[in-house]
Amino acid sequence: MNKNRKALSILMRARMRPPLSPTTNRINQMQFPPMDGSSNNKASTSQNASTSFHTDFERVQQSMHSAMSMNKIEILDAALDDFSEGYYGLSNENRRTLLLALAREYDLNRKQVRELMKQYLGLELPSSDKPVENVHEGEGSFSAFYRIELNLRHSLKPMYEVLFERLNTHPGGLKFLSIMRSDILSFLAEENIVSLRALDSYLKEKLITWLSPANLQLLHITWDDSASLLEKIVAYEAVHPISNLLDLKRRLGVGRRCFGYLHPAIPGEPLIFIEVALMRNIAQTIQEVLWDDPPIPECEATCALFYSISSTQQGLSGINLGKFLIKRVIDVVRRDMLTISTFATLSPIPGYMQWLFSKLAPTEISDSTFSENLLKPEEESALLEAAEEFTIGENGMEVLRNLLSSHQWINSEKLSSVLRAPLMRLCSRYLLQEKKRGKALDSVGNFHLQNGAMVGRTNWMADRSEKGLKQSAGIMVNYIYEVEHIEENAQSYFSNGQIRASDEVRSYLEPEEDLQQETKD
């Protein structure tokens, strides 16, 4: 363990980034010929560099073509190696050009598809009234249909499927495909290109199949695991950053659990991991989980609290591995710890402040029918009185916006007390009523609700960190996973967007608002 501690100490001081792939390291270590110092050679050096980059791109493009067209295993493996290594060495712009070429030039052959469809539509279906004297005669009348259907299935597969399939079975290929998709998503965020969108959709479907729970291994991650694995936990923790070795050890020690999903093709690197606190009751603040008193004896725990779930691969975005991980962890904890009967989260509300500021934004049209006063009369009066010496504004909405733009209000007990009622009420509205395409607007909420959870409780001043205040004014939410209702809740949410919530959370809403929501559900 000394090696582990030494490696991790270096890591914590450096606040490490995710490790480079072996291929990337090899590329970084390549030795380039020294540049001639004479001024006469500067132009030619620049030209040679440009030519070199152009040649490198063409070489990668050729190796990509070879990886799809060749069939000899020895040559194919070399082509896949050349392609993946060459791709890592390309500039961002060249990667974009290459992926566009892959999406457009190696798509399916639509002329062939149209011709086969014409042939198919031109066939005459055998009459169902005519008796079939023998089995062979009946099958023979459909032989043309079977032949064209087979050809259609083949022609409806784009050529780049071959590349994806071959990379998936190639050493390091699955990780490479994840990196490739991460690039695709990055380029799509800049410009929505239809062919690139289709490429992403096809690759995503393939990854969903290859990363099914049957192909994943659940690992209980402990302090005794390798330093390289623990480094990745530190590097990829996305919800509550790990501050030091003591923090890491605590999260992996008594009263805590960390589970990750690994794939055999990407050894030693969890695709996603979840952190669990074993507690007597459902925590109301993140301080209780991370920084307060030592954990209770595990035999006294009745609640398993999921307080952080992090994906390590940007290229797996939109592939809900977390759903399977949570359900698997619930099964494992129930089996190993019979005293645990409650499964819940302590979750951030990342979109709350963004939504609230959009509602508080000033409108240029006075008395607009689209404007809405978010504050009740008594809330506005109390706010204006409490904020008189702190901020300026013509009305409660302006004062609220000005106060929330700065985090100084949390240092005033008076302001904090006055803001609690409207912020908690509006948070309940945001979680239960604000929707996008019929589903919860909040991304974390949507994730847990589609997994079968219910909204259990909102918690005031649960996360006082800069991030927590910026995202949700410090409010966090407990989602409850009632084992006997998980599938029922998930089905109701998928079918009609119905959100189950406790009476406590619904009590923040106006009775008529709550009734309208139940009617919609």
Side-chain angles (χ1 to χ4, degrees), residues 348-359 426-450 455 471 477 479 493 497-499 517 521:
I349 314 172
Y352 177 39
M353 280 295 100
Q354 182 180 1
W355 168 80
L356 185 54
F357 276 119
S358 72
K359 294 290 184 180
L426 291 168
C427 185
S428 293
R429 167 182 163 176
Y430 171 71
L431 291 172
L432 301 185
Q433 297 180 343
E434 297 300 322
K435 304 259 182 103
K436 181 180 180 180
R437 300 189 184 96
K439 301 297 185 290
L441 180 60
D442 188 73
S443 58
V444 173
N446 181 57
F447 169 77
H448 288 295
L449 292 168
Q450 69 179 350
V455 184
Q471 287 185 339
V477 56
Y479 293 100
Y493 183 68
Q498 182 175 350
I499 297 175
Q517 180 66 21
D521 292 343

Side-chain angles (χ1 to χ4, degrees), residues 217-505:
Q217 303 167 344
L218 183 70
L219 176 66
H220 175 196
I221 300 166
T222 71
W223 180 251
D224 294 326
D225 278 306
S226 68
S228 62
L229 177 59
L230 299 185
E231 286 173 3
K232 292 177 175 63
I233 299 300
V234 175
Y236 290 116
E237 165 56 59
V239 185
H240 304 292
I242 298 172
S243 56
N244 52 47
L245 284 178
L246 183 62
D247 186 13
L248 175 63
K249 191 170 185 179
R250 176 186 169 93
R251 298 193 195 197
L252 302 177
V254 176
R256 300 293 182 266
R257 296 289 188 275
C258 182
F259 296 94
Y261 258 151
L262 281 77
H263 192 282
I266 311 178
E269 183 168 351
L271 304 180
I272 188 172
F273 61 91
I274 190 169
E275 295 172 71
V276 187
L278 306 177
M279 313 189 77
R280 287 193 183 93
N281 301 297
I282 301 175
Q284 299 185 52
T285 71
I286 195 61
Q287 289 86 348
E288 298 173 55
V289 178
L290 298 180
W291 304 303
D292 280 358
D293 296 332
I296 62 169
E298 292 189 358
C299 61
E300 298 179 13
T302 63
C303 170
L305 187 86
F306 309 130
Y307 65 93
S308 178
I309 183 165
S310 301
S311 175
T312 68
Q313 311 293 320
Q314 292 182 351
L316 301 186
S317 175
I319 301 174
N320 194 354
L321 299 178
K323 170 185 177 180
F324 304 112
L325 179 59
I326 287 175
K327 291 182 177 180
R328 182 75 184 279
V329 169
I330 288 176
D331 290 340
V332 169
V333 174
R334 289 182 72 198
R335 181 195 67 201
D336 295 345
M337 302 192 68
L338 301 180
T339 61
I340 301 291
S341 58
T342 302
F343 296 90
T345 78
L346 183 60
S347 299
I349 314 172
Y352 177 39
M353 280 295 100
Q354 182 180 1
W355 168 80
L356 185 54
F357 276 119
S358 72
K359 294 290 184 180
L360 293 172
T363 176
E364 296 181 0
I365 307 175
S366 60
D367 299 324
S368 170
T369 55
F370 296 102
S371 63
E372 175 188 10
N373 190 348
L374 301 180
L375 297 171
K376 297 179 179 180
E378 63 272 20
E379 292 172 345
E380 184 168 17
S381 298
L383 180 58
L384 290 173
E385 180 182 349
E388 188 174 3
E389 59 184 280
F390 294 95
T391 187
I392 57 174
E394 295 182 2
N395 54 51
M397 294 274 281
E398 284 190 17
V399 170
L400 181 59
R401 183 177 69 250
N402 292 334
L403 282 174
L404 294 178
S405 298
S406 167
H407 300 156
Q408 294 179 359
W409 61 270
I410 67 168
N411 300 318
S412 167
E413 185 176 342
K414 186 178 182 180
L415 281 177
S416 180
S417 176
V418 169
L419 286 172
R420 177 170 183 164
L423 288 180
M424 290 289 278
R425 176 176 58 81
L426 291 168
C427 185
S428 293
R429 167 182 163 176
Y430 171 71
L431 291 172
L432 301 185
Q433 297 180 343
E434 297 300 322
K435 304 259 182 103
K436 181 180 180 180
R437 300 189 184 96
K439 301 297 185 290
L441 180 60
D442 188 73
S443 58
V444 173
N446 181 57
F447 169 77
H448 288 295
L449 292 168
Q450 69 179 350
N451 294 345
M454 65 171 287
V455 184
R457 180 177 64 199
T458 50
N459 304 292
W460 178 249
M461 285 293 99
D463 184 0
R464 293 172 174 265
S465 69
E466 184 74 16
K467 181 180 178 182
L469 293 170
K470 183 177 180 180
Q471 287 185 339
S472 59
I475 303 173
M476 299 186 77
V477 56
N478 299 122
Y479 293 100
I480 313 297
Y481 282 87
E482 297 176 320
V483 177
E484 64 275 17
H485 296 302
I486 287 178
E487 295 304 326
E488 175 190 344
N489 292 346
Q491 184 58 42
S492 295
Y493 183 68
F494 271 114
S495 299
N496 51 35
Q498 182 175 350
I499 297 175
R500 277 200 63 209
S502 67
D503 291 340
E504 178 181 345
V505 175

Side-chain angles (χ1 to χ4, degrees), residues 185-238:
L185 292 173
S186 175
F187 300 139
L188 284 172
E190 298 172 0
E191 183 180 1
N192 188 8
I193 302 172
V194 176
S195 58
L196 204 57
R197 179 74 62 188
L199 180 72
D200 172 63
S201 178
Y202 207 90
L203 178 53
K204 179 183 175 182
E205 290 301 318
K206 287 294 180 182
L207 289 170
I208 288 174
T209 301
W210 297 328
L211 297 174
S212 68
N215 297 326
L216 300 175
Q217 303 167 344
L218 183 70
L219 176 66
H220 175 196
I221 300 166
T222 71
W223 180 251
D224 294 326
D225 278 306
S226 68
S228 62
L229 177 59
L230 299 185
E231 286 173 3
K232 292 177 175 63
I233 299 300
V234 175
Y236 290 116
E237 165 56 59

